[in-house]
Amino acid sequence: MQSLPDSTHRLIEEFSRLPGIGRKTAQRLAFHLLKSEKDTAHRLSDAMIDMKEKVQECSICCGITEDDPCFICTDNKRNDSLLCVVESAPDIYAFEKTNSFSGKYHVLGGALSPLDGIGPDELNFDKLITRMKSGMELVIATNPSVEGETTALYLAKILGEKNIKVTRLARGLPVGGNLEYTDEATLIRALEGRTSL
Amino acid sequence: MQSLPDSTHRLIEEFSRLPGIGRKTAQRLAFHLLKSEKDTAHRLSDAMIDMKEKVQECSICCGITEDDPCFICTDNKRNDSLLCVVESAPDIYAFEKTNSFSGKYHVLGGALSPLDGIGPDELNFDKLITRMKSGMELVIATNPSVEGETTALYLAKILGEKNIKVTRLARGLPVGGNLEYTDEATLIRALEGRTSL
């Protein structure tokens, strides 16, 4: 690929650093931008810089926002005594798309993972604890992974002593899934959590 | 997704305009850039603008280059009487990676496609004809599609009258392919083009 112009080569390198973008896709993207109007590259470039300039962390929920505090934290119609704890900001938008959650959120910024050096001090636990008041419900919505489960148990332990109801998302069969191809751990959780019809 | 910051939303829109990037991937890329250092977004943005500023069309072969004419056209070690005709500039790099072609290239900028309004005037045929000299060999390497075949036949017709040898790439089984899953058209070409061992 030494025969490519240097600047094209550099763009391919930069694209292939993005997650899920391999060498071939990076090349395809670079050639697409080469062929398209100058405007296309400028719009994409501006959008990128603009986002990096404007988006900041919400000082209350640690989610992403352009105006601090974010519009979810300042929304009076939302239930203040229901708090959903997620690992990362994109998780908030997964919930918001369902239009089914009327409480507020708190972003931990990851999950406990001692092997990767991520302990309680690296996550936004302090801010969460200052937000918790007696009588609130905390819905733990960490990922169903080892790290997510560890974080959920840790939270349940430190908050369970106060007068706070700690719940967690149900685990079971995903809607549209196929029983035949469901892994054992999921099936065990589905059995354990069975509900009466 | 209205709950996303405007600038993030805009970047997701811009990413999803790129070929092969769906909504989910665009979202993943935007969130990746949000999480990463400011520098990452700037490097990608700069590389994009830089490429659009610097890369131009080579005035001889119509390929892409930063310095006109391109380094392939100005390379004296290359065989001047062997010309490979391709549809688009990226095709040149597919050949260059093989290290097996010692001639020069000519980029048509597409293939004949009357239904899409692409006739001979829309392609770089004029420049190609001015480059052709008696005794040269022209290797037609258009894509093995209907448009590519049409373009190859058209070129063979207009150049065949002059003292120019017109050849085209072999069609047959791709290396590493599986006979069972090979389509009929390819099998027919492979049979027609069989060679003695």
Side-chain angles (χ1 to χ4, degrees), chain A residues 107-167:
Chain A
V107 179
L108 290 180
L112 289 175
S113 177
L115 287 178
D116 301 318
I118 303 175
D121 294 341
E122 275 70 45
L123 304 177
N124 303 319
F125 281 133
D126 288 348
K127 272 190 183 165
L128 174 63
I129 288 162
T130 58
R131 290 181 78 186
M132 299 310 297
K133 290 187 193 87
S134 179
M136 281 177 81
E137 179 181 346
L138 189 77
V139 183
I140 303 183
T142 49
N143 285 323
S145 61
V146 175
E147 291 80 13
E149 301 285 289
T150 312
T151 314
L153 292 174
Y154 177 83
L155 269 176
K157 197 179 151 220
I158 58 170
L159 293 170
E161 296 156 9
K162 300 169 188 178
N163 180 23
I164 288 164
K165 190 177 165 194
V166 181
T167 57

Side-chain angles (χ1 to χ4, degrees), chain A residues 32 40 43-45 47-48 51, chain B residues 1-2 4-19 21-31:
Chain A
H32 168 82
T40 310
R43 271 208 321 269
L44 178 56
S45 159
M48 228 171 331
M51 183 190 73
Chain B
M1 300 294 285
Q2 292 138 325
L4 275 176
D6 282 345
S7 54
T8 313
H9 191 72
R10 209 179 108 217
L11 181 58
I12 293 175
E13 289 287 318
E14 289 298 336
F15 268 133
S16 49
R17 285 209 183 95
L18 297 176
I21 306 280
R23 188 97 206 150
K24 289 244 169 180
T25 312
Q27 201 177 317
R28 193 176 167 203
L29 294 177
F31 284 129

Side-chain angles (χ1 to χ4, degrees), chain B residues 88-99:
Chain B
S88 62
D91 299 339
I92 293 181
Y93 305 100
F95 277 105
E96 286 296 289
K97 274 194 279 184
T98 67
N99 275 325

Side-chain angles (χ1 to χ4, degrees), chain A residues 7 33 36 43 45 52 66, chain B residues 7 14 33 36 45 52 66:
Chain A
S7 54
L33 287 179
S36 51
R43 271 208 321 269
S45 159
K52 284 306 270 186
E66 288 185 9
Chain B
S7 54
E14 289 298 336
L33 288 179
S36 50
S45 161
K52 284 306 270 186
E66 288 185 9

Side-chain angles (χ1 to χ4, degrees), chain B residues 130-150:
Chain B
T130 58
R131 290 180 79 184
M132 299 310 297
K133 290 189 192 84
S134 179
M136 278 176 84
E137 178 180 346
L138 190 76
V139 184
I140 303 183
T142 49
N143 284 323
S145 60
V146 175
E147 292 79 14
E149 300 285 289
T150 312

Side-chain angles (χ1 to χ4, degrees), chain A residues 8-27:
Chain A
T8 313
H9 192 72
R10 209 180 107 218
L11 181 58
I12 294 175
E13 290 286 321
E14 289 298 335
F15 269 133
S16 48
R17 284 208 185 97
L18 297 176
I21 306 279
R23 188 96 205 153
K24 288 242 168 180
T25 312
Q27 201 176 317

